[in-house]
Amino acid sequence: MTRSVFLPFALPDVDQNEYELIRQTLNSGWITTGPLTRRFESEFAAFVGAKHAIAVNSCTAAMHLALEAIGLQRGDEVITTPYTFAATAEVVRYFDAKPVLVDICAEDFNIDPERIEAAITPRTKAIIPVHIAGLAARLDEITEIAARYQLAIIEDAAHAFPTQYKGRMIGQALPGIQHAVCFSFYATKTITTGEGGMIVTDNDQIAERCRIMALHGISRDAWKRYTAEGSWYYEIIAPGYKYNMTDIAAAMGLAQLAKAERMASRRRIIAQMYNDAFSDLPELQTPLDPDFHCPEIGPQQPNSQENRQQSHAWHLYMLRLNLERLTIDRGQFIELLKTYNIGASVHFIPLHLHPYYREVYKYQPQDFPIAYQQYLREVSLPIYSKMSDEDVNDVIAAVCAVVAEHRR
């Protein structure tokens, strides 16, 4: 049976708490960067276990600032993955530096550490691993390589809140290297400020530089010049950017952060409902799910202490079609889901397939064959904390119906 109302691919989970904190902020008269932004930074840093947090207006801004803070220059190279959104590579191009792409692991869409070393040259400055869908990349191996070659790591954690890797929250320090982690609070994420991002780091120099450059290169805490204890005097110490977060956005972020565990838990439940429904269908491949089975620590029980050693944020539920068992392609599959009033999407069109990267770097689709082949069969299903069990079951019914109608 088809739903009577279309189920969007994503919706934010907001309630009266967001409205009340935003109302209080508007009434306070302080609506741009101010005390609530600093409070949000402090609470977020405590949540992920980082020393510093700098709130900005997007994850793109966060990655740009982090790369500037490590001293990226024209002609440098940064290793990353083709299987990501535009922002990951475009921030490298802001410096007239070169993003060097490395293919992915077929099992989880994340960058393949075994391919990284071959891509390193004397110009390599940093690695940007992307934690696709909310599942951590293999950070131990990546960190070992970065330390050996004295490279920085800037984690693209746009999907990875709250994610754990071997008992460590994504956001905590990696030892022995320059390191920062960049989060997104875009509307589809587990917690949202509408638009927004956060840089976290334990490196004092990176934090100081990011904070200064996020607001026109003005000396630290210049926002206080409009407070009773502030001064009109400020100094511009570098040509910075306009990347600061507002207190209005921070108010929403604080309300969202307070219920982050509940929203993340709901996403895990939905993912398990999908896995239970689809895992026995040979036409489908369910995502790697360390919440319930981590290859390094064996099968686990949901919500056990051990399964938090490796946890998935489930920002996305990336289903794959075994196309050889179906009479339709991925595009047709998505269009058929729409006939059941179910929204779906694709994550992502690999970077090397886009005209800019094809033209500038002369890439061909098969230059990164794993990314290309996995892209052709990936479908992202709705997964967000506002979904009811009825919504989830409607998605399951629609997927199963399309499979049944078009299996070979």
Side-chain angles (χ1 to χ4, degrees):
M1 179 178 289
T2 303
R3 288 173 58 93
S4 59
V5 177
F6 183 75
L7 180 70
F9 174 69
L11 284 174
D13 191 341
V14 298
D15 56 32
Q16 193 59 39
N17 292 321
E18 283 84 355
Y19 291 110
E20 179 57 25
L21 272 174
I22 292 170
R23 184 192 66 79
Q24 291 176 17
T25 304
L26 294 173
N27 288 342
S28 76
W30 197 298
I31 59 175
T32 187
T33 304
L36 273 191
T37 303
R38 295 296 177 254
R39 180 182 155 198
F40 183 37
E41 290 172 339
S42 177
E43 293 191 14
F44 190 87
F47 193 107
V48 300
K51 184 177 180 181
H52 302 285
I54 302 94
V56 290
N57 58 16
S58 69
C59 188
T60 307
M63 290 190 290
H64 185 194
L65 290 169
L67 289 172
E68 198 278 339
I70 66 167
L72 193 67
Q73 300 288 326
R74 180 178 185 179
D76 287 342
E77 295 177 351
V78 177
I79 293 172
T80 191
T81 166
Y83 215 99
T84 185
F85 185 59
T88 312
E90 74 189 15
V91 293
V92 178
R93 295 298 298 134
Y94 292 171
F95 298 88
D96 202 15
K98 180 182 179 181
V100 175
L101 306 182
V102 169
D103 213 345
I104 62 170
C105 301
E107 64 269 20
D108 65 2
F109 295 94
N110 281 319
I111 191 169
D112 185 349
E114 296 180 8
R115 299 172 186 264
I116 289 175
E117 195 162 7
I120 294 172
T121 76
R123 293 178 178 268
T124 307
K125 184 80 173 183
I127 304 169
I128 304 180
V130 182
H131 306 304
I132 290 289
L135 178 63
R138 286 153 54 186
L139 285 174
D140 282 358
E141 295 163 69
I142 296 169
T143 303
E144 189 277 327
I145 295 168
R148 184 150 30 95
Y149 287 90
Q150 297 183 305
L151 306 177
I153 291 180
I154 308 299
E155 295 179 54
D156 181 343
H159 298 178
F161 178 82
T163 294
Q164 289 195 19
Y165 175 75
K166 297 188 177 180
R168 181 185 68 82
M169 285 289 291
I170 295 298
Q172 291 181 10
L174 298 176
I177 56 169
Q178 284 188 302
H179 175 241
V181 184
C182 301
F183 292 93
S184 172
F185 306 133
Y186 183 65
T188 59
K189 302 300 192 294
T190 299
I191 70 169
T192 180
T193 59
E195 297 278 1
M198 191 78 77
I199 309 155
V200 302
T201 183
D202 278 20
N203 184 301
D204 295 342
Q205 289 74 36
I206 289 177
E208 180 73 7
R209 183 68 176 181
C210 288
R211 194 173 293 285
I212 289 168
M213 296 300 284
L215 191 58
H216 299 297
I218 294 175
S219 51
R220 188 179 183 186
D221 289 339
W223 62 272
K224 289 183 178 177
R225 67 188 184 277
Y226 296 124
T227 68
E229 67 270 21
S231 168
W232 60 270
Y233 184 77
Y234 64 91
E235 293 180 323
I236 297 172
I237 62 176
Y241 312 99
K242 187 71 169 77
Y243 282 164
N244 56 301
M245 178 178 281
T246 69
D247 267 21
I248 296 173
M252 185 172 183
L254 284 164
Q256 291 270 293
L257 189 61
K259 57 188 181 185
E261 289 284 10
R262 189 267 295 170
M263 294 191 293
S265 176
R266 179 60 185 162
R267 285 174 179 259
R268 288 192 292 269
I269 290 168
I270 295 169
Q272 188 61 22
M273 292 174 70
Y274 284 157
N275 287 346
D276 289 344
F278 303 143
S279 59
D280 290 334
L281 293 177
E283 295 82 8
L284 304 176
Q285 180 182 339
T286 56
L288 185 66
D289 185 357
D291 282 337
F292 297 91
H293 183 273
C294 173
E296 296 188 2
I297 55 181
Q300 302 163 55
Q301 293 299 313
N303 302 319
S304 69
Q305 181 62 36
E306 290 76 13
N307 84 335
R308 297 279 67 79
Q309 293 289 315
Q310 195 95 347
S311 69
H312 197 314
W314 292 111
H315 164 59
L316 299 171
Y317 186 88
M318 297 172 69
L319 188 68
R320 277 175 276 187
L321 309 179
N322 293 324
L323 293 171
E324 71 282 2
R325 293 179 174 270
L326 294 167
T327 61
I328 54 175
D329 63 21
R330 186 265 312 283
Q332 293 169 314
F333 192 94
I334 292 174
E335 290 304 311
L336 287 166
L337 288 181
K338 285 184 183 178
T339 68
Y340 287 89
N341 268 337
I342 302 297
S345 191
V346 173
H347 294 87
F348 292 98
I349 303 172
L351 294 178
H352 72 293
L353 302 182
H354 290 282
Y356 173 81
Y357 294 96
R358 291 203 317 265
E359 293 165 10
V360 172
Y361 300 109
K362 311 305 179 186
Y363 286 134
Q364 298 296 317
Q366 289 299 334
D367 286 345
F368 306 100
I370 300 174
Y372 180 56
Q373 293 301 322
Q374 298 310 310
Y375 153 71
L376 293 176
R377 63 194 196 97
E378 192 275 337
V379 177
S380 295
L381 300 182
I383 183 167
Y384 47 97
S385 53
K386 282 191 72 172
M387 289 178 69
S388 66
D389 282 359
E390 182 179 5
D391 292 332
V392 179
N393 286 327
D394 285 344
V395 176
I396 291 169
V399 169
C400 290
V402 172
V403 168
E405 292 164 8
H406 299 281
R407 59 168 45 108
R408 288 191 187 277

